[in-house]
Amino acid sequence: MICQPCKQPFKQDENAIACDTCDQWFHQICVSMDIETFITHTNDVDIPWHCSDCTILLENENRESDTDVVIQPDNNEKNKKKVDKLRILVCNFQSIWSKRNSLEKFFKDHQIDVVIGSESHLKERTKNSEFLPPHYLAERRDREDGKGGVIIIYRDWMKVDQIPNKVPEIVTVKIQTHQKPVIVSACYRSMYNSKEQNKQLAEEITDICKKYKNHHLWIGGDFNLPDIDWNTNSITSNQYSKELNEQYLEVFETSGLHQMVNFTTRKKAILDLMLTNRPGFVSNCSPVPGFSDHDTAVLLDMICHPQRHKPIQRKVMCWNRTDFTALRNDVRDKCRILCNTTSDETPVNEIWNGIKNMVKVCQ
């Protein structure tokens, strides 16, 4: 590991700091940081620090995002780095457990960052580590009968907090970014929902949109609303009641949500939706093979610059400075003490605790 400006390796007694955006390390003196500022960042990991290149990048993003304009691609490779995107997958799993062996390859092939999943079919006793690919975490809501269920999967370097929900078939998280946080919800409206359950889910979505109206909202999942033509926001068939369809159309409209999926996800219907209050930040929405009888899943690229967990500064041991003679003498003395204070009748646990205490003293 080397300092980016001076290209020199770090020594044990040198102050160094990592950029929260690019994760590169820098000598304190190489970035002209005074010692007070360095101590402040070292003691409080929640205070972000960005190198000069990333500071310029973020300033450009802030100016562009304030105008709510989609940033056009540029042929210049350097300019492309100014726009960071999260790749979102919206899909119906119909048992994520049965697909666990194929998830890792799918996530890797499609470079998935966040998954908004419905019908996860997980039970509470199932641990995330039992089915998630490496380097992914999840927040989920499971049903007692092991059916239904919703899940949000995200990369482990992202700063994510779960937001409590009142109704079962919705899970919501807040993704910390270098701009405004992003609120992500995964929903599942079962075709067997009662009138009251449909009302509760609609009210929960409304409450989220009101509470976080100044944030970026990404609300996705299987809503089972095949009667709606999303190009015109009109009801074109009657598989479900007119009242139900109008209820959700009104919720989406009054909450300022735009439905982004314009291709079928199960047979000839659009069941898996992606709703956002910032449609200008969706740079791509395309179909990919699905995981269930929903033969198509939704893949989106969302313009976003998420925060990363600050890496822990490693302690580098300089073994070439070790006084091995003193080390051997110290070990010999401690072994002598241990032998003098124990006998053949001393319990093993007591001997082991004595060894551990000696090691702690050495540290």
Side-chain angles (χ1 to χ4, degrees):
M1 188 167 60
I2 62 173
C3 173
Q4 295 307 303
C6 68
K7 304 300 181 185
Q8 296 298 316
F10 295 98
K11 297 180 181 179
Q12 183 177 3
D13 55 349
E14 289 180 323
N15 292 335
I17 188 168
C19 174
D20 285 302
T21 303
C22 63
D23 288 340
Q24 299 293 336
W25 284 85
F26 302 81
H27 285 119
Q28 173 208 338
I29 58 174
C30 290
V31 293
S32 302
M33 179 182 290
D34 60 76
I35 189 63
E36 292 182 357
T37 304
F38 176 78
I39 293 174
T40 299
H41 284 284
T42 303
N43 293 338
D44 191 347
V45 296
D46 291 328
I47 300 178
W49 179 80
H50 313 289
C51 65
S52 56
D53 289 343
C54 292
T55 299
I56 295 173
L57 181 149
L58 293 173
E59 288 175 351
N60 288 336
E61 283 189 339
N62 286 332
R63 285 196 295 269
E64 290 161 345
S65 63
D66 287 342
T67 59
D68 275 7
V69 175
V70 179
I71 302 172
Q72 298 297 325
D74 196 306
N75 292 328
N76 188 320
E77 190 65 27
K78 185 176 181 180
N79 288 336
K80 286 184 179 180
K81 294 180 181 179
K82 293 181 180 179
V83 180
D84 273 26
K85 299 176 183 177
L86 282 181
R87 178 152 289 183
I88 318 297
L89 177 71
V90 182
C91 66
N92 178 296
F93 282 109
Q94 224 167 57
S95 177
I96 193 172
W97 177 262
S98 62
K99 283 86 177 180
R100 64 190 185 280
N101 294 328
S102 59
L103 286 182
E104 183 173 359
K105 185 178 186 305
F106 186 93
F107 286 11
K108 183 178 180 180
D109 291 346
H110 295 280
Q111 299 179 330
I112 303 298
D113 297 309
V114 178
V115 178
I116 299 175
S118 55
E119 286 203 83
S120 50
H121 290 194
L122 293 170
K123 295 186 177 180
E124 289 186 4
R125 66 173 180 269
T126 305
K127 297 180 180 179
N128 289 340
S129 58
E130 295 181 57
F131 63 89
L132 286 180
H135 309 300
Y136 285 90
L137 301 174
E139 301 294 345
R140 56 191 236 223
R141 298 286 297 279
D142 307 323
R143 280 190 358 200
E144 292 182 0
D145 60 2
K147 303 296 183 181
V150 286
I151 187 169
I152 296 176
I153 304 172
Y154 53 91
R155 291 189 185 269
D156 59 3
W157 52 261
M158 298 169 63
K159 286 187 175 181
V160 176
D161 301 303
Q162 185 172 3
I163 297 174
N165 291 109
K166 301 174 186 176
V167 298
E169 296 285 22
I170 180 171
V171 61
T172 304
V173 301
K174 178 190 291 185
I175 299 177
Q176 299 293 344
T177 75
H178 292 287
Q179 300 164 1
K180 294 179 181 178
V182 175
I183 307 300
V184 182
S185 292
C187 306
Y188 175 54
R189 192 200 74 80
S190 171
M191 59 188 298
Y192 302 110
N193 272 8
S194 65
K195 186 175 181 179
E196 181 61 26
Q197 288 173 323
N198 287 325
K199 179 182 176 183
Q200 290 175 352
L201 180 59
E203 289 176 347
E204 183 76 358
I205 294 172
T206 301
D207 290 344
I208 291 171
C209 293
K210 285 182 178 179
K211 186 174 181 180
Y212 300 101
K213 61 182 179 181
N214 294 324
H215 295 63
H216 289 221
L217 299 172
W218 302 347
I219 301 175
D222 179 4
F223 282 84
N224 275 306
L225 296 172
D227 300 326
I228 298 176
D229 181 344
W230 295 105
N231 291 320
T232 59
N233 285 339
S234 59
I235 303 168
T236 57
S237 57
N238 57 359
Q239 182 173 338
Y240 296 101
S241 68
K242 182 180 179 181
E243 179 185 1
L244 171 68
N245 288 300
E246 288 180 341
Q247 180 183 36
Y248 279 89
L249 278 174
E250 182 180 359
V251 167
F252 300 157
E253 182 178 355
T254 56
S255 300
L257 297 175
H258 300 261
Q259 205 289 110
M260 306 305 299
V261 183
N262 58 4
F263 47 84
T264 59
T265 60
R266 185 178 185 272
K267 296 182 179 179
K268 296 182 179 181
I270 302 176
L271 301 186
D272 301 283
L273 310 181
M274 183 60 175
L275 303 145
T276 179
N277 62 342
R278 298 289 193 275
F281 284 78
V282 180
S283 61
N284 172 62
C285 181
S286 56
V288 291
F291 287 88
S292 63
D293 59 350
H294 292 228
D295 48 325
T296 303
V298 182
L299 193 67
L300 303 104
D301 288 328
M302 313 287 278
I303 297 174
C304 175
H305 195 84
Q307 291 186 21
R308 293 173 175 266
H309 287 294
K310 197 163 187 175
I312 300 174
Q313 188 171 358
R314 295 185 302 166
K315 187 175 183 180
V316 181
M317 301 295 184
C318 296
W319 295 107
N320 58 340
R321 300 181 183 178
T322 304
D323 186 344
F324 285 101
T325 301
L327 182 61
R328 291 190 190 95
N329 292 335
D330 190 44
V331 172
R332 189 181 299 113
D333 292 341
K334 285 181 169 50
C335 288
R336 188 179 297 113
I337 293 172
L338 185 64
C339 291
N340 292 336
T341 56
T342 59
S343 66
D344 294 341
E345 298 179 355
T346 304
V348 174
N349 288 340
E350 186 177 330
I351 297 174
W352 175 238
N353 288 332
I355 295 173
K356 287 195 294 184
N357 290 333
M358 288 181 180
V359 172
K360 287 181 180 178
V361 172
C362 293
Q363 292 176 335

